[in-house]
Amino acid sequence: MFKTLKAGALALALLPGCALALEWSSAAVAQAAAPAGPTVKIDNFVFGPQAITVSVGTTVTWINQDDIPHTVVANDKSFKSKVLDTDEHFSFTFTKPGEYGYFCSLHPHMTGKVIVKAG
Amino acid sequence: MSDHDKNDHSGQDRRGFLKCMAWAGTGAVFTVSGGIASSVSLGQAMAAPAKAGSFTFMQVSDSHVGFNKPANPDAAATYREAVGKILALPQKPDFIIHTGDITQLSKDQEFDDADQIIKAAGLQVFHVPGEHDMLDEGQGKAYLDRFGQGTKGAGWYSFDHKGVHFIALINVANLKPGGMGSLGADQIEWLEKDLAGRPSSQPIVVFAHIPLWTVYADWGWGTDDAAQALGYLKRFGSVTVLNGHIHQLTQKVEGNIVFHTARSTAFPQPVGGQGPSPGPLKVPTEQLHSMLGITTATFVRGSQPIALIDSTLAA
């Protein structure tokens, strides 16, 4: 009877074979406004992919595709976005190896991780 | 809802118990009474404040002024309609409690617009912030600049009105990764002191944005450290906890504590877990008003219960 926004988008993202393809296609779309590089989509209150592995020097971009604002905040506060409304993005360049847990400070059950490898 | 019925027929139970009342039209009426299950019609509840010492107050919640997405292209307009409902009440309430998410993005213009809308009610308004009111650069400074006078910490405070003690708690500040709502040690310590020395017979109303009991953990619909706070409230004979955040009615009774969440005036959200996310529930335009609403709380001196009447914007 009711239709939740983005229901269709979630169904797509849940198809295992499609997940990676979706990631890279959304990065391409974001290139117009955001730096090239891996992209984390915020969709249906989920960071996708939940964990991402990159090499030092990589710029990761988060894009909010929900109708509700979100933030991207490192657990250790080493990076922190302003509030991201629908279709807004945030980028951060990782210059040191390590594991960076992060969350949405509005909806802290939303968590993700960036693993930064040396070289 | 099953909680509401479990003490029926237990006439020996001295604790207040709650009886679900008829859902008549768009107004749900339920009441807690001290030892005697009593039926309260909507008409009776509305007439009750005529008794000496009795009064009503309103709860509005989640106005999200600034929200303009398909689920509700004009949240300011529906907030205005909610204020219109308050103005149309047969009994003038003593004041309004707003349980947070006043704005969508904590913008000055949104706070200004929200102020203008609620001012039309001509009543004092007591606020608590929702997480949407903490999105300015100062992470809540914009809210505190407007509403923080005389409050402590992130904005908590208490006041007495006609013998009832009201406590405003903040559970949207300094949230932790992977967690839900959070009160924090400082606020809980303040609460303990605020309650110390009060007679257990004094009716208590607690209001905060995120529910103070876990409605649905996977969506963060709860408050991690609520149990400790509620522990200080258990000795009181009548405690009413009013929350928002989840944009739908839920009720629960635990001992003498009645928990209630109000509808939003902006957009509905799905029942916990029934949908891919807690995002706005998009319903046909003609259904929207039946899923938005306000709550009327009626305190009648001499009978412990605070009767809560939820009415939609469709009525």
Side-chain angles (χ1 to χ4, degrees), chain B residues 20-102:
Chain B
C20 262
M21 292 309 305
W23 292 69
T26 56
V29 183
F30 65 97
T31 181
V32 187
S33 59
I36 302 165
S38 60
S39 298
V40 174
S41 73
L42 191 121
Q44 283 172 320
M46 297 307 289
K51 292 182 186 174
S54 303
F55 66 96
T56 64
F57 64 95
M58 305 303 301
Q59 181 191 4
V60 298
S61 200
D62 296 271
S63 45
H64 287 264
V65 170
F67 184 87
N68 58 4
K69 303 291 190 319
N72 179 353
D74 191 353
T78 45
Y79 191 32
R80 233 173 258 122
E81 289 175 43
V83 170
K85 293 282 177 192
I86 295 171
L87 284 166
L89 288 171
Q91 297 280 344
K92 189 178 175 184
D94 283 14
F95 55 84
I96 298 169
I97 283 173
H98 192 306
T99 43
D101 283 357
I102 305 158

Side-chain angles (χ1 to χ4, degrees), chain B residues 1-312:
Chain B
M1 296 287 175
S2 59
D3 279 356
H4 298 170
D5 297 319
K6 67 186 177 195
N7 284 333
D8 275 6
H9 316 301
S10 60
Q12 305 306 312
D13 186 352
R14 295 193 63 234
R15 293 180 308 172
F17 58 84
L18 182 145
K19 179 154 177 82
C20 262
M21 292 309 305
W23 292 69
T26 56
V29 183
F30 65 97
T31 181
V32 187
S33 59
I36 302 165
S38 60
S39 298
V40 174
S41 73
L42 191 121
Q44 283 172 320
M46 297 307 289
K51 292 182 186 174
S54 303
F55 66 96
T56 64
F57 64 95
M58 305 303 301
Q59 181 191 4
V60 298
S61 200
D62 296 271
S63 45
H64 287 264
V65 170
F67 184 87
N68 58 4
K69 303 291 190 319
N72 179 353
D74 191 353
T78 45
Y79 191 32
R80 233 173 258 122
E81 289 175 43
V83 170
K85 293 282 177 192
I86 295 171
L87 284 166
L89 288 171
Q91 297 280 344
K92 189 178 175 184
D94 283 14
F95 55 84
I96 298 169
I97 283 173
H98 192 306
T99 43
D101 283 357
I102 305 158
T103 68
Q104 176 69 359
L105 292 168
S106 307
K107 292 178 178 169
D108 281 340
Q109 187 65 51
E110 294 174 346
F111 276 120
D112 286 347
D113 291 347
D115 271 354
Q116 288 305 313
I117 292 166
I118 198 78
K119 263 184 190 159
L123 297 168
Q124 188 170 10
V125 185
F126 295 95
H127 287 96
V128 288
E131 74 279 4
H132 284 254
D133 304 315
M134 307 286 283
L135 298 175
D136 58 306
E137 285 294 324
Q139 295 178 55
K141 187 175 179 299
Y143 169 87
L144 284 177
D145 285 349
R146 287 169 187 266
F147 305 113
Q149 270 194 344
T151 68
K152 306 226 176 351
W156 56 82
Y157 59 96
S158 67
F159 63 93
D160 285 286
H161 184 79
K162 295 182 180 172
V164 178
H165 189 57
F166 289 80
I167 303 169
L169 298 181
I170 315 301
N171 56 3
V172 296
N174 302 314
L175 302 182
K176 307 289 182 295
M180 303 192 289
S182 173
L183 295 163
D186 289 353
Q187 185 171 205
I188 291 172
E189 191 184 330
W190 170 84
L191 176 66
E192 182 185 12
K193 286 180 186 156
D194 184 73
L195 292 169
R198 293 187 180 276
S200 297
S201 58
Q202 183 172 28
I204 307 281
V205 175
V206 177
F207 58 105
H209 179 63
I210 298 176
L212 288 170
W213 81 105
T214 302
V215 178
Y216 191 66
D218 286 356
W219 286 358
W221 288 358
T223 301
D224 284 324
D225 49 4
Q228 197 185 344
L230 295 171
Y232 297 129
L233 292 160
K234 279 182 181 154
R235 69 179 172 88
F236 291 89
S238 166
V239 180
T240 306
V241 177
L242 302 176
N243 300 123
H245 186 58
I246 64 172
H247 298 211
Q248 61 196 286
L249 299 181
T250 57
Q251 291 125 15
K252 180 187 156 171
V253 181
E254 210 173 275
N256 292 336
I257 306 180
V258 178
F259 298 88
H260 179 270
T261 60
R263 290 188 179 98
S264 163
T265 68
F267 56 84
Q269 283 177 255
V271 171
Q274 293 187 17
S277 83
L281 191 64
K282 196 178 173 189
V283 299
T285 306
E286 62 272 20
Q287 274 181 27
L288 178 65
H289 284 70
S290 68
M291 302 184 79
L292 309 178
I294 57 175
T295 302
T296 309
T298 301
F299 173 75
V300 181
R301 182 148 319 278
S303 72
Q304 285 194 350
I306 290 182
L308 302 172
I309 303 168
D310 297 294
S311 48
T312 71

